[in-house]
Amino acid sequence: MNDSVLSTSYFNPISSTDYLPLSQMRELQTVRLQKIVNLAYEQVPLYRERMAEMGVSPRHIQNIKDISLLPFTKKTDLRDTYPRGMFAAEMKEIVRFHASSGTTGKPIVVAYTQSDLDVWREVVARSLASFGVQRGDIVQNAYGYGLFTGGLGLHMGIECLGATVVPVSVGNTERQIMLMRDLGSTAISCTPSYFLHLIDQAMSMGVDMRELPLRIGIFGAEPWTEAMRARVEQMTSIKAYDIYGLSEMAGPGVGAECYCQDGMHIFEDHFYPEIIHPETLEVLPDGEEGELVLSTLSKRAMPMLRYRTRDITKIETSPCPCGRTIRRIHRISRRSDDMLIIRGINVFPSQIETAIMRVEGTLPHYQIILTRVGGLDQVEIKVEIDSELFDGDIISSYEKLQKELVYSVERIIGLKVKITMVAPRTLRRSEGKLQRVIDERKF
Ligand code: DLL
């Protein structure tokens, strides 16, 4: 069995493992799992200790099915071992960091060796190929570049496929429309909500997207719906495709739709999927809805075994007419935790709380209100403040407090929000479970 991963020249979709017969795929997964469990056991104390507690060692892994013997990992494990406790490679092997939101003020950091980047590039290229992107296409990449994996992840895959990348990143919407028109972009990658905003902006600039060469949309990083797909496809001449991923696995490219637009194929030669019941943690059979658990099968810098994604989905059981044999997951509609995705950025209400409480003069009563205006998520945070400050006629200290709050929240979640300061005892109190988040966004 050839266990090498593609690393050079343009990606050729025909040579990929998407079409492997099942028995060969399971064999490949077994070989890779054995290797990765060994690595994790040898290099990462957290895995060694957890496996010891469960009486499991690498020699128990004889088959990919034995994955169920292994302990689960969670986002809090990354937080508790922040920043490098889950790394399995030496610093000199690590060539890239990315980061994503943790549950408190600190982000979680993920690391990549050169071979991890090769795998990531390959799976993004496979995703793009399954959307029909090819050499000659011009892909306007409007995912954010930086610590977020969207921008650079898509970027590498587009280049690997030999298509042309326009690394415009997110924002500056007018310029996006200008570039789209002037360069003749044939594909766009961004969050689905940002694309709605681009459609609005184009209209207000008198540009009809249906008349542009744009024909492929590469949308992910946040939940969206079939209704949204229908609307977007009707307002433009694109086919809108879903792409899934998370920083803990690599970034975008863990799974992607094909032209059938009926579930996302998981690149399971690198990311092994299981579905569990989020409370009993029992592994559910294919076809049943539950929490997606993923294991990296080839990651060297930071192997993640049985990572609880908190994303709720199910594995499709029918074969896909496209001929790919790798399994598909259903569109992700919700999560089993309270993580919000605002403009593609992961935000935990607890982060907002931390940010507010850091500012003197605030009371521990707040509410987060999410709306969508012109396709773009808006956040308003209502915060109760000290009565002295509220009643006082010192406008400058009132304004100062508001600025401090905006800054404090932005520093932690990376988003500028609207802060509305209200008098003590204004916000509704609850005797039961307090609803701090009001999500009025509709697709
Ligand atoms: O959002 C990676 C990504 C970038 C995926 C660009 C697709 C396109 P994180 O910031 O770590 O990584 O957030 C991961 O976002 O657990 C899901 O809850 C959500 N998510 C990602 N893709 C989708 C999708 C990137 N297609 C978290 N549908 C995941 C629904 C998605 N939710």
Side-chain angles (χ1 to χ4, degrees):
M1 175 75 39
N2 179 6
D3 188 24
S4 71
V5 288
L6 211 114
S7 61
T8 51
S9 73
Y10 294 135
F11 175 72
N12 173 7
I14 309 295
S15 71
S16 82
T17 35
D18 296 358
Y19 305 91
L20 267 193
L22 195 68
S23 59
Q24 280 182 43
M25 176 57 84
R26 298 291 171 260
E27 215 179 296
L28 176 65
Q29 289 168 330
T30 300
V31 171
R32 289 186 174 172
L33 181 69
Q34 286 170 329
K35 239 190 215 172
I36 203 102
V37 169
N38 260 312
L39 178 75
Y41 188 84
E42 295 295 328
Q43 303 299 333
V44 185
L46 181 136
Y47 285 117
R48 202 163 42 244
E49 285 155 22
R50 294 236 175 115
M51 284 169 66
E53 275 165 28
M54 296 173 77
V56 187
S57 75
R59 70 188 158 79
H60 291 108
I61 308 297
Q62 298 296 324
N63 188 286
I64 185 67
K65 292 267 174 274
D66 297 330
I67 199 165
S68 62
L69 301 172
L70 297 170
F72 291 109
T73 46
K74 292 194 281 195
K75 215 185 241 303
T76 47
D77 293 326
L78 288 158
R79 183 196 66 195
D80 297 343
T81 57
Y82 175 85
R84 297 190 192 171
M86 303 277 285
F87 291 7
E90 285 178 45
M91 204 45 235
K92 64 174 190 244
E93 303 296 329
I94 290 172
V95 295
R96 170 103 60 94
F97 287 136
H98 278 283
S100 128
S101 299
T103 46
T104 57
K106 286 251 193 278
I108 57 140
V109 173
V110 293
Y112 306 76
T113 64
Q114 196 64 60
S115 80
D116 294 338
L117 290 187
D118 292 343
V119 169
W120 186 16
R121 182 181 296 119
E122 176 204 308
V123 288
V124 177
R126 281 160 75 180
S127 307
L128 295 164
S130 77
F131 305 146
V133 178
Q134 42 185 292
R135 294 183 74 177
D137 269 313
I138 300 170
V139 188
Q140 185 157 334
N141 186 18
Y143 282 113
Y145 280 65
L147 288 174
F148 176 54
T149 55
L152 283 165
L154 260 298
H155 185 107
M156 293 191 304
I158 297 163
E159 285 188 342
C160 173
L161 196 67
T164 309
V165 61
V166 185
V168 58
S169 194
V170 70
N172 204 337
T173 312
E174 246 177 71
R175 190 179 59 178
Q176 300 269 1
I177 304 296
M178 183 189 79
L179 286 173
M180 193 182 284
R181 194 184 46 199
D182 297 352
L183 295 177
S185 305
T186 55
I188 175 121
S189 45
C190 60
T191 59
S193 56
Y194 188 59
F195 189 63
L196 280 186
H197 185 57
L198 286 175
I199 296 178
D200 269 5
Q201 180 70 34
M203 267 191 228
S204 69
M205 289 168 70
V207 175
D208 184 349
M209 276 213 187
R210 277 172 293 211
E211 285 168 12
L212 299 180
L214 201 66
R215 60 183 178 85
I216 295 173
I218 302 159
F219 301 137
E222 64 186 14
W224 55 303
T225 56
E226 278 309 313
M228 168 106 140
R229 168 157 31 217
R231 206 162 117 198
V232 158
E233 290 188 346
Q234 185 207 343
M235 294 170 87
T236 63
S237 35
I238 65 163
K239 264 192 104 173
Y241 291 101
D242 204 355
I243 181 165
Y244 172 72
L246 57 159
S247 321
E248 293 85 343
M249 290 295 113
V254 170
E257 283 184 329
C258 60
Y259 67 84
C260 303
Q261 293 180 309
D262 183 23
M264 292 179 281
H265 290 279
I266 295 285
F267 298 109
E268 59 173 315
D269 46 329
H270 296 300
F271 312 106
Y272 186 80
E274 298 169 272
I275 300 288
I276 62 162
H277 188 290
E279 270 131 46
T280 64
L281 308 186
E282 172 203 358
V283 178
L284 301 175
D286 286 3
E288 276 188 40
E289 189 180 85
E291 180 181 331
L292 178 65
V293 167
L294 288 168
S295 299
T296 57
L297 294 180
S298 39
K299 204 126 189 272
R300 295 286 170 262
M302 211 180 92
M304 291 305 298
L305 297 176
R306 303 196 88 201
Y307 182 70
R308 292 188 56 186
T309 64
R310 297 289 183 174
D311 291 321
I312 303 291
T313 183
K314 62 182 175 193
I315 293 180
E316 303 281 351
T317 47
S318 59
C320 189
C322 80
R324 284 179 180 76
T325 50
I326 47 177
R327 285 176 290 174
R328 284 169 300 156
I329 56 164
H330 205 255
R331 181 188 272 295
I332 310 260
S333 54
R334 59 198 167 88
R335 294 179 50 90
S336 70
D337 63 4
D338 60 352
M339 189 176 93
L340 304 164
I341 304 183
I342 305 171
R343 297 192 194 173
I345 296 177
N346 304 344
V347 177
F348 287 92
S350 53
Q351 290 178 293
I352 295 187
E353 182 168 304
T354 308
I356 293 171
M357 294 302 111
R358 275 188 190 164
V359 178
E360 216 172 305
T362 55
L363 300 175
H365 300 288
Y366 63 93
Q367 202 167 48
I368 303 163
I369 300 146
L370 302 175
T371 50
R372 183 162 284 151
V373 180
L376 214 56
D377 294 338
Q378 310 290 334
V379 190
E380 180 186 4
I381 302 172
K382 290 190 177 162
V383 195
E384 289 186 9
I385 57 168
D386 267 345
S387 53
E388 272 168 44
L389 269 162
F390 201 80
D391 300 334
D393 50 7
I394 322 158
I395 297 200
S396 63
S397 54
Y398 183 87
E399 281 175 355
K400 188 167 154 265
L401 182 61
Q402 190 169 35
K403 273 201 192 121
E404 274 178 43
L405 279 163
V406 171
Y407 176 69
S408 179
V409 174
E410 189 178 2
R411 225 176 50 152
I412 289 194
I413 69 169
L415 281 170
K416 220 184 193 87
V417 300
K418 178 180 172 200
I419 298 279
T420 307
M421 300 193 296
V422 296
R425 286 178 296 282
T426 311
L427 298 175
R428 221 164 67 99
R429 304 293 196 256
S430 157
E431 286 169 3
K433 212 168 148 59
L434 183 62
Q435 201 193 356
R436 286 205 192 276
V437 182
I438 300 175
D439 196 344
E440 292 173 345
R441 293 174 296 180
K442 288 205 176 59
F443 289 109

